[in-house]
């Protein structure tokens, strides 16, 4: 924005209007008017076309029709009845501010031709030659001369003058002020720049965002390179470890050599000790051998002397032994016979006593006693009959009670069994609930429990050893299509296959079996199946033609191998499921459905036919939860209710058992009471029967005592005869015993005499034999010790020394071989340079190397690209992204600089607004002072309002008028003119034009206004074009003032 200009001494003629020519423009058919360089007054009647001149100026400098407020389109400016219009404007181009004088010369011609279909603007030089026709060239000219025809301070048409003079709205005045001082243009430019910067920031943000994926790729490449470097580091470690392993075999052999050398030294140290022992025991053996020989010869001579005595002694000893045995046998037989005779004697005495008792009894009995005995017998018989009747009744009662006790005991046993069954059922239900809850957490546990989880963990640890990972358990890969109604039936149909695992070959099967043993999962069912086979497509004609579902139709699995195995191994496509027993029999046996293998009912029956044999398997009583269910909550709730019912039934059974036990206890007590009474009755009956027998015997004895005595006498005679015979035999045995005893005594005396005579020789012989045996034992012990140490020397010490020396030589050879092989990999100095040997064994290093190679293989499988390719790709992308980052950073720096400049411009703009506000008030007050007024202008940029305050000289109250509508017409017009001149003072343009600026002024105000305006125009230095319909004769004539009268309009 240009600084305000006042009283310029040097004036440039560049940009002022020299001539205006109109052709068919508005009301003019042809008009040419020349303007002076200073002040130009154009007067004329209304309708004479004065305002058309300013409209033509606006059109010539590129304004649109609406901006002139005189038409909606440019063709509206073409005179009625004409097809075109021409606006011809000549501008002076002289002085130091001239626009391209070498091209245009001292005059620039602007010519705009309007037609109904188009319009064109042409720039010509001073000779009328066409120089340019583009809008950019015209805009460049306008900007060079600062000609803004839309600025009311440059061209103020009559409509804008009326609005300006009559408007009392502070916002309208502010708009006028803001536009006239170019503040609006600058603000719009700053806002446009700010929007452009915002758009540029968005673009730069997008550009910066576009490289973020590349940055992420770069970071990923960097991570891959780090991983590859880590792999190289592992590879280097593996190489170093390989070298260490090679030399560790050498060092391990060195260690073994040291151990062998130490062992050989120890073994050689044992040789002198063993040899000393051998020599010691050899000397003892020789000494004992000599003693043994001497003692043996001594015994031989003694044997010859005592041989006959020993023979006689042995014969006597044998004869004495036989005689003693015979004597003992005779004594035993004698004792037996004597005892038998004693028994016979006792029998005779008993028979004699019986005879005496019978005779005495017979003497005592009388006839009266016999009658009493008969009566007593009858009473006893009656009592026996009574007791027998009572005993029969008690036996019946005892039998009935025993039967009741038996029944009650049986009932208690049945109740006990029922309680045990209920408790078992309750325990089974509880286990099923726990199993369902565990299955709800992890479905896999339903098909093998913790064993299958251990197996899966073992498979995971050994997954690299399998050609293809095993699939299983099969049940974990299955779901049901139509709810859980058929879950239990399908499980019965599939059976043990639900827990099975599938592998692709026999090797994987053996490996899986090893994993199962490690996980303690015995009897695991393993199915070998080719994983490469596609999903089986079963034609409809191979399926059972029935309306009932098959097992296959109700199953779903994401893994086609599982479905193939169930079809090939389980024949699930041929298993039909029905709801009840009757429908099952009809489908299985009556309908003769082809391709049908088995029928399963919802209640657990299994039906099938093989040839003419029809088989129905009973209900599956094993109650277990359905493992294929999608929702286990309902099952758990049902099982809990069932468990509650079973517990209630068990409690009822316990109460019944307690009642039966109480009843059994009462029955047993009653039975014991009846038994006691029955036993008492038995004893009473037995005693009475004995009494009857005694009575009968007494009666019989009274009737026939003589026969009994005779019989007893006969028995006594027979026994006495037998006694006599036995006594004769006993006397014989007594004689034989005496003979045997005498013979034995004689033999003992002879034996004692022989022993006494040979006692000295025998004792010496026995002592010699004992000494010989002792020498023999010592000799055997010494020889055993000698042989032991000789064997130890031969088999242990010498052999071990030889073996150790042989192994030592082999180790030396082995060391040379290992050293040669290790030297091929690297010299020993390289290993020594790595540091002291840590003592690791080759096995430890080999295991460590194996782990490193496995880790290297895993890392290498993860990173398939080479590190050189990754580095090249990283460098290429890094260069690319660095270029972009540099470019975008430059963009960002430029944007920041622009933003900084914009902020600086905005600050200057705010400062200039403040300065212009103060300058505006000062200049406005200066112009008002020409008429004796005073006032000030208050501008609010925040509320976008401008208010004028005027103080009249005749107002004694010294109160200021804040609304110009409170002034008279002339006063308002003059104050508004002062406001406009203050605005003109603050703007710069080569020419200015005002139309009907003096309307509503009285003569005095007009004269003052015109004088003020002329004086300002001459002092300001720009070209002025003032249009008014009023008389301007009061304006003084001068060289710088040009007055022109427009022709009156035609009637």
């Amino acid at each position: 924005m240009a600084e305000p200009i006042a009283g310029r001494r040097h004036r440039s003629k560049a940009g002022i209007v020299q001539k205006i020519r109109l052709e068919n423009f508005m009301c003019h058919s042809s008009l040419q008017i020349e303007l002076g360089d200073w002040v130009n007054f154009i007067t004329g009647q209304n309708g004479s076309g004065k305002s058309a001149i300013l409209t033509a100026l606006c059109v010539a400098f590129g304004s649109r029709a609406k901006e002139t407020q005189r038409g909606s389109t440019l063709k509206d400016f073409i005179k009625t009845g004409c097809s075109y219009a021409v606006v011809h404007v000549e501008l002076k181009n002289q002085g130091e501010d001239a626009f391209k004088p070498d091209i245009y010369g001292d005059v620039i011609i602007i010519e705009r031709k309007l037609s109904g279909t188009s319009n064109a603007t042409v720039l010509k030089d001073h000779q009328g030659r066409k120089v340019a026709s583009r809008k950019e060239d015209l805009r460049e000219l306008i900007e060079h001369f600062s000609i803004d025809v839309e600025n009311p301070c440059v061209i103020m048409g009559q409509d804008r003058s009326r609005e300006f003079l009559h408007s009392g709205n502070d916002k309208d005045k502010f708009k006028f002020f803001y536009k006239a001082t170019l503040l609006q243009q600058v603000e719009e430019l700053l806002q446009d720049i700010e929007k452009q910067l915002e758009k540029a920031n968005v673009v730069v943000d997008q550009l910066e965002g576009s490289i973020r994926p590349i940055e992420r790729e770069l970071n990923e490449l960097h991570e891959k390179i780090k991983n590859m470097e880590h792999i190289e580091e592992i590879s280097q470690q593996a190489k170093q470890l390989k070298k260490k392993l090679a030399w560790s075999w050498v060092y391990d052999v060195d260690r073994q050599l040291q151990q062998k050398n130490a062992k050989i030294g120890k073994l050689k140290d044992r040789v002198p000790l063993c040899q000393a022992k051998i020599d010691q025991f050899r000397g003892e053996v020789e000494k004992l051998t000599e003693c043994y020989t001497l003692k043996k010869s001594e015994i031989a001579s003694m044997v010859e002397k005592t041989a006959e005595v020993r023979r006689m002694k042995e014969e006597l000893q044998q004869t004495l032994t036989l005689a003693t045995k015979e004597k003992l046998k005779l004594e035993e037989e004698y004792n037996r016979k004597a005892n038998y005779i004693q028994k016979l004697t006792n029998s005779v005495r008993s028979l004699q006593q019986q005879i005496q008792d019978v005779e005495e009894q017979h003497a005592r009995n009388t006839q009266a006693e016999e009658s009493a005995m008969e009566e007593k017998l009858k009473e006893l018989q009656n009592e026996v009959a009574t007791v027998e009747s009572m005993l029969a009744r008690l036996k019946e009662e005892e039998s009935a009670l025993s039967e009741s006790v038996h029944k009650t005991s049986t009932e208690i046993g049945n109740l006990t069994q029922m309680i045990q069954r209920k408790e078992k059922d309750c325990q089974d239900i509880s286990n099923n609930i726990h199993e369902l809850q565990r299955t709800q957490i992890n479905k896999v546990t339903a098909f093998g429990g913790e064993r299958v989880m251990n197996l899966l963990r073992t498979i995971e640890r050994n997954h690299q050893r399998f050609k293809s990972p095993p699939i299983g358990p099969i049940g974990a890969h299955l779901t049901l299509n139509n709810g859980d109604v058929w879950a239990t039936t399908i499980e019965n149909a599939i059976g043990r296959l639900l827990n099975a695992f599938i592998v692709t070959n026999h090797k994987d099967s053996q490996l899986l079996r090893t994993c199962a043993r490690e996980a303690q999962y015995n009897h695991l069912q393993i199915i070998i199946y080719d994983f490469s086979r596609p999903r089986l497509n079963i034609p409809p004609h191979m399926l059972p033609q029935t309306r009932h579902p098959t097992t296959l139709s109700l199953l779903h699995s994401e893994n086609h191998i599982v479905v193939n195995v169930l079809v090939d191994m389980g024949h699930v496509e041929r298993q039909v499921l029905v709801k009840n027993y009757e429908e099952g029999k009809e489908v299985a046996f009556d309908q003769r459905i082809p391709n049908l293998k088995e029928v399963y009912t919802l209640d657990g029956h299994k039906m099938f036919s093989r040839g003419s044999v029809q088989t129905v398997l009973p209900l599956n009583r094993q109650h277990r939860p359905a493992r294929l269910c999608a929702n286990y909550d309902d099952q758990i709730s049902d099982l809990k209710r069932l468990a509650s019912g079973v517990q209630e039934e068990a409690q009822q059974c316990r109460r019944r058992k307690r009642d039966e036990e109480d009843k059994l206890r009462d029955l047993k007590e009653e039975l014991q009471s009846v038994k006691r009474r029955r036993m008492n009755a038995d004893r009473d009956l037995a005693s009475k029967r004995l009494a009857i027998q005694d009575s009968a015997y007494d009666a019989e004895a009274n009737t026939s005592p003589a026969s009994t005595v005779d019989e007893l006498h006969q028995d006594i005679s027979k026994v006495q005869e037998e006694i006599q015979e036995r006594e004769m035999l006993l006397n014989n045995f007594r004689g034989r015993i005496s003979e045997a005893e005498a013979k034995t005594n004689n033999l003992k005396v002879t034996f004692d005499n022989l022993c006494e005579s040979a006692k000295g020789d025998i004792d010496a012989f026995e002592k010699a034999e004992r000494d010989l045996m002792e020498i023999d034992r010592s000799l055997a012990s010494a020889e055993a010790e000698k042989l032991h140490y000789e064997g130890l020397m031969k088999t242990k010490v010498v052999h071990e020394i030889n073996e150790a020396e042989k192994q030592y030589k082999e180790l030396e050879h082995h060391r040379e071989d290992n050293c040669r092989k290790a030297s091929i990999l690297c010299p020993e100095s390289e290993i020594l340079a790595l540091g002291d040997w840590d003592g690791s064994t080759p096995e430890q290093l080999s295991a460590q190397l194996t782990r490193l190679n496995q880790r290297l293989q895993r890392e290498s499988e993860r990173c398939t690209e080479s590190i050189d390719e990754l580095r090249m790709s990283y460098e290429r992308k890094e260069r690319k992204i660095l270029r972009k980052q540099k470019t975008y950073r430059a963009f960002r720096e430029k944007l920041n600089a622009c933003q900084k400049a914009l902020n600086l411009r905005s600050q200057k703009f705010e400062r200039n607004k403040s300065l212009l506000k103060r300058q505006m008030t000062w200049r406005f007050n200066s112009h008002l002072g020409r008429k004796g007024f005073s006032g000030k202008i208050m501008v609010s940029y925040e509320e976008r309002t401008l208010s004028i305050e005027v103080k009249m000289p005749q107002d004694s109250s010294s109160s200021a008028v804040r609304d110009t509508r409170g002034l008279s017409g002339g006063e308002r017009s003059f104050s508004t003119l002062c406001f406009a001149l203050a605005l003109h003072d603050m703007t710069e343009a080569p020419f200015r034009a005002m139309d009907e600026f003096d309307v509503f002024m009285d003569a005095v105000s007009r004269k003052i206004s015109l004088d003020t305006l002329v004086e300002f125009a001459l002092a300001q230095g720009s070209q002025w074009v003032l249009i008014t319909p009023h008389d301007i004769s009061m304006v003084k004539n001068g060289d710088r003032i040009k007055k022109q009268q427009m022709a009156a309009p035609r009637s």
Side-chain angles (χ1 to χ4, degrees):
M1 187 175 60
E3 292 291 334
I5 302 171
R8 294 173 56 182
R9 294 185 179 181
H10 175 73
R11 182 175 183 272
S12 175
K13 293 185 177 182
I16 65 177
V17 180
Q18 179 177 313
K19 183 190 294 185
I20 300 174
R21 182 170 62 84
L22 306 177
E23 184 178 349
N24 299 329
F25 186 80
M26 295 182 73
C27 62
H28 298 287
S29 298
S30 177
L31 173 66
Q32 180 172 318
I33 184 169
E34 295 182 0
L35 300 176
D37 295 343
W38 295 92
V39 179
N40 295 275
F41 281 98
I42 299 175
T43 63
Q45 299 179 8
N46 291 331
S48 59
K50 303 186 297 298
S51 299
I53 297 172
L54 298 185
T55 303
L57 279 174
C58 292
V59 171
F61 286 104
S63 291
R64 290 174 294 183
K66 290 183 179 180
E67 292 173 354
T68 63
Q69 298 181 346
R70 303 301 298 271
S72 58
T73 60
L74 291 176
K75 67 180 181 180
D76 293 340
F77 296 140
I78 301 174
K79 187 178 180 182
T80 305
C82 298
S83 60
Y84 72 95
V86 177
V87 176
H88 180 94
V89 177
E90 295 181 4
L91 301 177
K92 286 186 177 182
N93 191 31
Q94 300 170 3
E96 59 183 8
D97 294 333
F99 178 70
K100 299 179 181 180
D102 53 341
I103 297 176
Y104 290 98
D106 56 358
V107 175
I108 298 174
I109 300 174
I110 302 173
E111 186 176 284
R112 188 169 188 181
K113 185 175 181 179
L114 309 177
S115 64
T117 56
S118 64
N119 64 88
T121 302
V122 179
L123 300 180
K124 299 179 179 180
D125 61 6
H126 65 288
Q127 295 180 352
R129 291 192 299 267
K130 180 179 177 181
V131 175
S133 60
R134 298 183 308 164
K135 291 183 179 180
E136 288 78 8
D137 298 322
L138 178 61
R139 189 178 301 111
E140 186 181 4
L141 172 69
I142 292 171
E143 290 177 354
H144 179 77
F145 290 123
S146 299
I147 301 172
D148 184 7
V149 294
E150 295 180 3
N151 190 339
C153 286
V154 177
I155 296 178
M156 184 184 291
Q158 61 182 8
D159 296 329
R160 196 169 291 173
S161 295
R162 292 192 189 97
E163 289 179 12
F164 180 66
L165 293 173
H166 289 283
S167 175
N169 192 331
D170 293 343
K171 291 186 179 293
D172 292 338
K173 290 186 177 68
F174 180 82
K175 290 178 183 178
F176 189 85
F177 159 75
Y178 213 54
K179 191 171 184 179
T181 54
L182 301 181
L183 289 174
Q184 181 176 347
Q185 182 181 356
V186 174
E187 185 180 44
E188 290 174 354
L189 286 172
L190 291 174
Q191 290 176 352
D192 184 61
I193 292 170
E194 187 173 7
K195 290 179 182 178
Q196 293 297 326
L197 284 175
E198 290 176 356
K199 292 180 181 178
N201 275 316
V202 172
V203 172
V204 173
D205 289 339
Q206 291 175 352
L207 290 174
E208 290 175 345
S210 66
I211 65 173
R212 289 195 183 97
I214 303 176
E215 289 176 346
R216 286 195 293 271
E217 290 179 6
L218 202 62
N219 293 332
E220 290 174 359
L221 281 174
H222 184 64
E223 288 297 325
K224 286 184 178 180
I225 289 171
K226 285 175 64 177
N227 290 337
M228 290 301 294
E229 289 174 349
H230 183 56
I231 291 172
E232 286 186 346
E233 183 181 348
I234 295 174
S235 177
Q236 192 64 27
Q237 290 178 1
K239 290 178 182 178
Q240 295 294 339
L241 200 58
K242 201 170 184 181
K243 295 176 182 178
K244 284 186 176 182
L245 177 61
W247 280 101
S248 70
W249 291 108
V250 178
Y251 299 149
D252 187 62
V253 172
D254 288 341
R255 180 179 55 79
Q256 293 179 22
L257 285 171
Q258 291 176 359
Q259 293 176 354
K260 287 294 178 186
N261 196 14
K263 183 178 180 182
I264 290 170
K266 289 181 180 179
L267 290 173
K268 287 183 176 180
D269 291 340
R270 291 174 61 186
V271 170
L273 296 175
C274 285
Q275 190 62 45
K277 286 287 184 181
I278 292 171
D279 295 341
Q280 176 188 347
F281 286 109
R282 185 182 289 120
E284 290 182 5
V285 167
E286 292 174 354
K287 189 184 296 184
L288 289 172
T289 302
E290 292 176 358
C291 293
Y292 183 80
T293 304
L294 292 174
K295 186 61 70 175
K296 196 171 183 182
S297 60
E298 182 182 352
I299 289 174
S301 62
M302 293 177 69
V303 166
E304 291 177 359
K305 292 179 180 181
T306 60
E308 184 63 26
V309 177
R310 291 171 63 86
R311 183 183 60 78
M312 292 174 64
K313 181 180 178 181
E314 288 175 357
E315 288 178 356
L316 285 173
Q317 181 72 34
Q318 185 176 5
T319 304
L320 179 62
T321 302
L322 292 174
T324 303
K325 287 181 179 179
E326 185 178 359
K327 176 189 172 185
L328 291 174
K329 286 182 180 179
L330 290 171
E331 287 178 351
E332 289 177 0
E333 185 66 23
Y334 179 81
N335 292 330
R336 282 198 300 272
K337 291 184 179 298
N339 291 332
Y340 184 71
I341 291 171
Q342 184 65 36
K343 288 180 180 178
L344 291 175
T345 304
N346 293 333
S347 178
V348 169
R349 292 194 190 97
S350 176
L351 290 172
Q352 290 174 351
Q353 184 66 37
Q354 286 182 9
I355 291 171
Q356 185 178 357
D357 292 339
V358 167
E359 289 176 350
E360 291 177 357
Q361 183 67 30
H362 181 70
R364 285 195 302 269
N365 289 336
T366 59
Q367 187 66 34
E369 290 177 350
E370 291 178 358
S371 299
M373 290 178 65
E374 289 178 0
E375 290 178 2
K376 182 179 179 181
L377 185 63
K378 287 181 181 180
E379 290 178 0
L380 289 173
Q381 288 177 349
N382 291 333
E383 290 178 0
V384 166
T386 303
V387 172
E388 285 178 348
S389 175
M390 184 178 66
L391 184 63
R393 181 176 57 77
L394 289 174
K395 284 183 178 180
E396 290 177 359
E397 188 175 351
E398 181 182 1
S399 177
L401 288 174
S402 298
E403 184 68 23
S404 298
V405 168
H406 177 70
K407 288 182 179 179
T408 305
S409 299
T410 304
E411 181 67 20
I412 291 173
N414 294 334
L415 288 174
T416 303
Q417 293 178 358
M418 188 179 297
I419 290 170
Q420 291 175 351
R421 286 197 301 272
K422 295 297 181 182
E423 289 177 347
K424 184 177 181 302
D425 292 342
C426 190
Q427 184 64 34
D428 292 340
I429 294 170
S430 178
N431 293 336
N432 290 336
I433 291 173
H434 292 317
E435 183 178 349
L436 282 175
Q437 290 173 345
R438 188 171 65 249
T439 304
Q440 196 172 25
I441 298 172
N442 187 353
K443 184 179 178 181
V444 178
T445 58
F447 305 98
E450 287 300 323
R451 296 181 304 166
V452 75
M453 296 304 298
N454 295 333
L455 177 58
L456 291 175
R457 284 190 283 268
T458 307
I459 293 172
E460 180 65 23
R461 288 196 300 269
N462 298 277
H463 71 281
Q464 293 182 344
R465 299 171 61 188
F466 289 95
K467 179 181 179 182
S468 298
I471 300 172
I474 290 177
H477 295 268
L478 296 176
T479 56
L480 299 181
N481 287 328
N482 297 326
D484 301 334
V485 177
W486 297 98
T488 305
T489 307
I490 291 175
E491 289 182 24
N492 293 335
I494 298 175
R496 293 179 63 246
L497 282 178
L498 289 173
N499 295 347
F501 277 71
I502 310 171
V503 296
T504 188
N505 55 35
H506 183 67
K507 183 178 179 182
D508 283 3
S509 173
Q510 291 179 332
L511 181 57
L512 181 58
R513 184 70 66 188
T514 303
C515 292
R517 285 195 294 270
E518 183 180 344
Q520 297 181 354
Y521 194 166
N522 300 323
H523 311 297
L524 173 66
Q525 185 177 1
I526 300 175
I527 299 170
I528 301 175
Y529 195 84
D530 186 6
F531 285 6
S532 61
R533 291 186 61 184
R535 190 183 189 97
L536 295 176
N537 187 12
I538 305 172
H541 69 274
M542 296 181 66
L543 298 173
Q545 304 300 318
T546 176
R547 62 183 177 84
H548 298 285
T550 63
T551 303
L552 180 61
S553 66
L554 297 179
L555 290 176
H556 172 73
S557 177
E558 298 294 336
N559 194 326
H560 73 279
I561 299 172
V562 173
V563 179
N564 291 353
V565 168
L566 290 176
V567 171
D568 287 344
M569 307 294 293
H571 308 289
V572 293
E573 82 284 4
R574 297 170 57 194
Q575 296 172 343
V576 175
L577 311 178
V578 299
K579 292 185 177 179
N580 53 52
Y581 181 82
E582 296 300 329
E583 289 184 357
K585 287 184 64 177
E586 182 180 356
V587 173
F589 307 134
D590 299 339
Q591 295 182 2
R592 303 285 182 180
I593 299 174
N595 302 318
L596 176 65
K597 186 171 186 284
E598 295 163 344
V599 175
Y600 291 88
T601 64
L602 199 60
D603 53 7
H605 286 92
K606 177 181 177 181
M607 306 175 184
F608 59 90
S609 61
R610 301 291 183 268
S612 60
V613 179
Q614 297 179 350
T615 305
V616 178
L617 297 181
L619 288 171
N620 184 6
R621 298 296 182 183
Q622 185 178 4
H623 182 76
R624 63 179 300 166
R627 296 175 290 174
L628 294 177
C629 290
N631 185 4
Y632 295 97
D633 293 335
D634 295 339
Q635 283 197 67
I636 292 173
S637 300
D638 294 342
L639 288 175
K640 287 182 177 178
R641 286 195 295 273
L642 181 60
S644 177
V646 171
Q647 289 176 352
E648 181 61 29
E649 292 176 0
Q651 193 64 29
Q652 292 177 0
C653 290
R654 291 190 187 94
R655 287 195 292 269
R656 288 176 55 194
K657 181 183 176 183
R658 285 195 296 271
D659 295 340
E660 293 295 330
E661 286 175 346
D662 293 340
K663 180 180 177 183
L664 178 63
R665 189 163 49 253
D666 295 340
L667 287 173
K668 284 184 176 180
E669 290 177 356
E670 187 176 356
L671 179 61
Q672 290 295 329
S673 175
V674 170
K675 280 185 177 181
R676 285 194 297 272
R677 289 159 56 196
R678 193 260 304 164
M679 291 174 66
N680 293 332
D682 279 339
R683 285 193 295 272
D684 191 15
L685 180 62
S687 63
K688 293 185 181 301
R689 283 178 176 173
L690 288 174
I692 291 173
Q693 289 178 0
D694 291 341
S695 300
Y697 289 153
D698 292 341
E700 186 178 354
N702 291 331
T703 56
S704 57
S707 61
T708 301
V709 170
D710 293 337
E711 290 175 358
L712 290 174
H713 281 295
Q714 292 176 2
D715 291 339
I716 290 171
S717 300
K718 290 179 181 178
V719 172
Q720 287 176 348
E721 291 176 359
E722 187 177 357
I723 289 171
Q724 291 176 359
E725 291 176 359
R726 294 289 180 180
E727 284 179 349
M728 292 175 65
L729 290 174
L730 191 62
N731 291 329
N732 293 331
F733 268 100
R734 190 179 295 111
R736 290 173 63 185
I737 289 171
S738 298
E739 293 175 357
E741 186 175 357
K743 184 179 179 180
T744 302
N745 293 331
N746 292 331
L747 288 173
K748 282 183 179 180
V749 170
T750 303
F751 182 78
D752 292 338
N753 293 331
L754 181 61
C755 289
E756 186 67 27
S757 62
K759 181 178 180 181
D761 295 336
I762 291 172
D763 290 343
F765 179 74
E766 288 178 353
K767 181 178 182 300
E769 280 187 340
R770 287 195 298 271
D771 293 341
L772 182 62
M773 291 175 64
E774 184 67 28
I775 292 170
D776 188 42
R777 283 195 297 270
S778 299
L779 179 60
S781 177
E783 285 181 346
E785 290 291 335
K786 181 175 76 70
L787 291 173
H788 168 70
Y789 282 103
E790 286 177 348
L792 189 64
M793 174 70 81
K794 184 177 179 180
T795 60
K796 295 285 288 183
V797 179
V798 177
H799 179 71
E800 287 181 1
I801 290 173
N802 294 333
E803 287 293 326
E805 289 177 346
K806 182 181 178 181
Q807 291 175 3
Y808 188 83
K809 291 179 180 179
E810 290 177 356
L811 286 173
E812 284 182 336
H813 179 70
H814 192 46
R815 185 190 185 284
E816 292 174 0
D817 190 29
N818 288 342
C819 188
R820 178 179 54 78
K821 292 179 181 178
S823 299
I824 295 173
L825 286 176
C826 69
E828 187 177 6
S829 58
E830 184 177 341
I831 298 299
L832 296 175
L834 295 176
D836 295 335
W837 188 255
D838 58 358
S840 299
T841 63
E843 291 76 13
Q844 292 172 342
L845 291 176
S846 179
Q848 190 175 353
L849 180 60
T850 302
R851 289 195 296 270
L852 270 180
N853 287 331
Q854 290 175 354
R855 184 179 174 189
L856 182 62
Q857 183 180 357
R858 289 195 300 270
E859 296 294 335
S860 300
E861 288 175 356
R862 289 173 53 195
C863 304
T864 57
E865 300 169 311
S866 67
I867 189 169
D868 295 332
E869 292 177 356
L870 291 174
R871 283 174 176 164
M872 290 174 62
S873 177
Y874 180 81
E875 290 172 358
R876 186 171 59 254
K877 290 189 177 182
E878 187 179 31
R879 286 195 299 271
K880 181 179 178 181
I881 199 171
L882 285 176
R883 287 197 302 270
K884 289 187 177 182
Q885 285 177 341
K886 185 177 179 181
T887 303
Y888 299 159
R889 197 179 299 113
F891 288 165
R892 180 65 67 186
E893 290 174 356
K894 290 178 181 178
L895 285 176
N896 292 336
C898 291
Q899 186 65 45
K900 186 176 180 181
L902 177 63
N903 294 336
L904 184 61
R905 296 291 191 281
S906 299
Q907 292 172 5
K908 289 184 178 181
F909 176 68
E910 295 296 329
R911 188 167 60 252
N912 286 339
K913 286 199 300 183
S914 179
L915 292 174
L916 285 174
K917 180 170 67 172
R918 291 196 298 271
Q919 193 173 5
M920 183 75 180
T921 300
W922 177 74
R923 294 189 180 278
F924 174 69
N925 197 40
S926 175
H927 291 299
L928 283 178
R930 294 180 177 275
K931 198 175 178 182
F933 294 174
S934 62
K936 62 179 179 179
I937 294 176
M938 291 171 289
V939 180
S940 173
Y941 293 109
E942 291 77 15
E943 298 178 1
R944 303 185 76 82
T945 58
L946 185 147
S947 58
I948 299 175
E949 184 177 303
V950 180
K951 185 176 181 182
M952 309 302 294
Q954 68 275 16
D955 192 353
S956 59
S957 64
S958 299
S959 60
V961 179
R962 292 185 176 272
D963 191 352
T964 55
R965 288 178 293 184
L967 302 173
S968 64
E971 292 171 345
R972 183 170 64 250
S973 297
F974 178 75
S975 61
T976 305
L977 179 62
C978 292
F979 173 56
L981 292 178
L983 287 176
H984 280 291
D985 240 351
M986 299 170 63
T987 57
E988 182 180 4
F991 65 86
R992 304 164 193 269
M994 297 178 68
D995 188 8
E996 295 185 0
F997 61 90
D998 55 350
V999 293
F1000 308 116
M1001 291 186 185
D1002 54 17
V1004 177
S1005 297
R1006 185 177 298 111
K1007 171 111 177 31
I1008 294 172
S1009 297
L1010 287 175
D1011 291 341
T1012 303
L1013 187 56
V1014 170
E1015 183 180 354
F1016 175 78
L1018 294 176
Q1020 200 264 345
S1022 298
Q1023 182 186 33
W1024 285 75
V1025 180
L1026 304 174
I1027 300 174
T1028 177
H1030 298 289
D1031 181 22
I1032 56 172
S1033 58
M1034 73 282 295
V1035 178
K1036 297 179 181 180
N1037 295 322
D1039 296 337
R1040 298 182 179 182
I1041 299 173
K1042 186 174 182 179
K1043 301 178 182 179
Q1044 298 185 62
Q1045 179 75 34
M1046 296 290 293
R1050 297 178 182 178
S1051 58

